[in-house]
Amino acid sequence: MRHRGAIIGLFAWAAAAQGAEVVFDTPSDDRWHYPYNFSPGVRATASCFGSTGDPEYTTFNDRDGIFLIAWRPDASFCGGLPPGAYDIRAVRVTLTGVACATCPTPDWIVDLTPDPWFNMDYPITDADPGQPVELFGVGFGPEYTSSTWNERSVYVGGDDAGFSGRDPFPFVFDNQGIRVHVEDNVKDQFTPTPWAVGVPLGYSPGNQTTPFPVHFDVDLSLSTERVRAYFQQQLSAGRIFLAVTSLTVTSKQAATGYPSFFTKEGIGLHPLARAPRLVLTLAASGNPDGDADRDKRDWGALADCLAGPDETPLEGGVLTAGECLCVFDFDEDEDVDLQDAAEFAVSMGPL
Ligand SMILES: [Ca+2]
Ligand SMILES: [Ca+2]
Ligand SMILES: [Ca+2]
Ligand SMILES: [Ca+2]
C-alpha cells in the first residue's frame, strides 16, 4: 500500500493507474499456418482444427490449422523501451469469425474448457462437445527467428510427406521457463494450459450469416508471470506474435465444423469483416530504464518530459514525447505535468 499523505486530496488519483488502452487494429503479419495453404500471407481467412480424429494422419501436427498473427507498434507508440518499462495490465485479442450469406454456415461447437490430451487421442472420447479455440505464445527455430519470419515465409511443419514440428510453433512455458511446443500435445501426451480461450459473442452455430467477434483475454499471470514478461519482451523487440489453434475434430473434406477467421486480407469480403485486433492495457510504469526500481535516474527522465498541464511532453531528454506519456502519464490525461510528478514522487522505491 502506497502512502500518498496530504497529496491525495489535491488530485483525482482514483482515475490513475488503471491503464490506458493501446489498440493495434491491423497486424503486420497474419497467416494460415497449414501445409496446404498455397497463398501464405495473402489468404483472406484462416481456420483452426486438429488432425487427431483420423488415425491415417500420423505425420500431421495434432494442431494442424493454426492462425499465426503478429502486430508491430508504429512510430507513435513507445515500442523499443526496455521490457521492464512496460506495465501491462491486460491483453485482449479479438478475431472475427467468418460467416456470410453465401459461404458455408459456421457450425463449430463452442467449448470454453481445454480437453485433456487423452480424450483427443484416436478414437476421440470428448465428454463435452466441441474443442476450445486456444491462444498461445509463438516460438521460433530451427529454420526461422522472430526477425527472419514473415507471413509469406515457406511452411515448416508436418504434412503428408513426413512429420516435423512447426516453425514458428505455438508454445507454453514449462516450470523452468523453457518454451514447450504444443502443436503435438496429443502425441506428446500432455495438456497445455492456453494463455486464453476464445469466447464468441453473438454466435449461433448453424444459423450464423454475419461475422461475429471472438474475444481472447490473456491470463498474464500464467507460468509465474512469464506470460506477462513475454508481452513486455515483444513490445521491447518491436513485434508481438501470437498463435491461435484448436484440436477441433474435423474430416479432410469438411467445409465447416471448425472455426475460421478473417485475416487482414479478408477485409472487404464482408462489411463486418475485421482484421485481428490486439488491445493492450498499459499503465505508467515510472520506470523507463526497466530495472527494478523508480529512482533518481527515472526521475531525471521524467523531469525532461515535463511540459505543463495539457501540453505535449518535451522531446530532447532520453525519451520521445510518446515514450514520456507511455511511462509517466500516471493520471492518463495525455500530459506529463506536476500531478504526474507528484504520483511518481510518492511511488519511488523498489518495484
Ligand atoms: Ca496476411
Ligand atoms: Ca470438449
Ligand atoms: Ca528504474
Ligand atoms: Ca498526466
Side-chain angles (χ1 to χ4, degrees):
M1 185 70 190
R2 284 185 253 159
H3 297 280
R4 289 169 175 146
I7 300 171
I8 199 166
L10 298 176
F11 309 118
W13 294 116
Q18 297 304 305
E21 288 192 343
V22 182
V23 177
F24 300 83
D25 59 7
T26 305
S28 57
D29 307 86
D30 60 352
R31 181 263 191 61
W32 189 35
H33 193 28
Y34 176 65
Y36 306 114
N37 176 6
F38 299 114
S39 52
V42 297
R43 203 171 183 280
T45 63
S47 49
C48 298
F49 49 80
S51 71
T52 63
D54 191 325
E56 284 181 28
Y57 297 154
T58 54
T59 59
F60 290 83
N61 300 110
D62 297 339
R63 296 170 186 267
D64 197 17
I66 296 177
F67 192 7
L68 282 176
I69 313 164
W71 297 263
R72 279 186 195 277
D74 65 22
S76 66
F77 180 69
C78 55
L81 293 171
Y86 300 106
D87 184 352
I88 302 174
R89 300 296 175 90
V91 175
R92 167 175 277 192
V93 172
T94 301
L95 303 182
T96 302
V98 172
C100 70
T102 55
C103 56
T105 306
D107 61 358
W108 49 277
I109 301 166
V110 177
D111 176 5
L112 301 181
T113 53
D115 296 311
W117 72 265
F118 45 84
N119 285 1
M120 301 312 300
D121 202 1
Y122 187 81
I124 306 290
T125 55
D126 189 6
D128 58 340
Q131 291 78 40
V133 191
E134 300 173 318
L135 181 145
F136 296 99
V138 175
F140 295 87
E143 180 77 23
Y144 296 114
T145 68
S146 60
S147 300
T148 61
W149 183 87
N150 67 56
E151 66 179 7
R152 308 290 295 271
S153 294
V154 172
Y155 172 82
V156 174
D159 59 21
D160 58 354
F163 176 77
S164 82
R166 290 287 169 100
D167 183 8
F169 60 91
F171 80 89
V172 290
F173 290 108
D174 73 4
N175 291 337
Q176 279 73 49
I178 305 295
R179 297 176 177 207
V180 178
H181 288 243
V182 302
E183 71 271 26
D184 292 301
N185 74 284
V186 178
K187 291 182 184 71
D188 294 340
Q189 304 192 348
F190 76 107
T191 306
T193 299
W195 292 7
V197 169
V199 179
L201 293 188
Y203 165 51
S204 177
N207 188 33
Q208 184 75 30
T209 56
T210 55
F212 54 97
V214 180
H215 291 307
F216 298 78
D217 288 313
V218 174
D219 184 349
L220 295 167
S221 69
L222 282 175
S223 299
T224 57
E225 298 282 330
R226 287 193 177 98
V227 172
R228 194 186 313 272
Y230 173 89
F231 285 95
Q232 291 177 305
Q233 289 160 359
Q234 301 237 316
L235 272 179
S236 180
R239 198 157 45 149
I240 302 163
F241 294 91
L242 291 171
V244 174
T245 86
S246 179
L247 290 167
T248 309
V249 179
T250 186
S251 66
K252 194 173 183 182
Q253 300 303 332
T256 182
Y258 46 82
S260 188
F261 305 102
F262 289 109
T263 67
K264 70 182 190 295
E265 288 80 11
I267 296 174
L269 285 188
H270 188 284
L272 294 176
R274 299 281 181 274
R277 164 180 285 235
L278 171 69
V279 179
L280 302 178
T281 304
L282 284 179
S285 68
N287 184 27
D289 59 6
D291 62 2
D293 59 40
R294 291 186 186 130
D295 64 7
K296 285 164 99 174
R297 252 165 53 129
D298 305 306
W299 169 257
L302 188 155
D304 285 341
C305 295
L306 280 174
D310 304 325
E311 296 292 326
T312 301
L314 295 175
E315 304 274 357
V318 294
L319 302 178
T320 67
E323 290 168 346
C324 289
L325 288 174
C326 200
V327 175
F328 290 123
D329 184 16
F330 287 93
D331 58 359
E332 292 159 12
D333 64 348
E334 301 291 313
D335 64 25
V336 178
D337 63 11
L338 291 176
Q339 296 190 17
D340 302 298
E343 172 75 356
F344 178 89
V346 295
S347 66
M348 283 181 80
L351 292 171

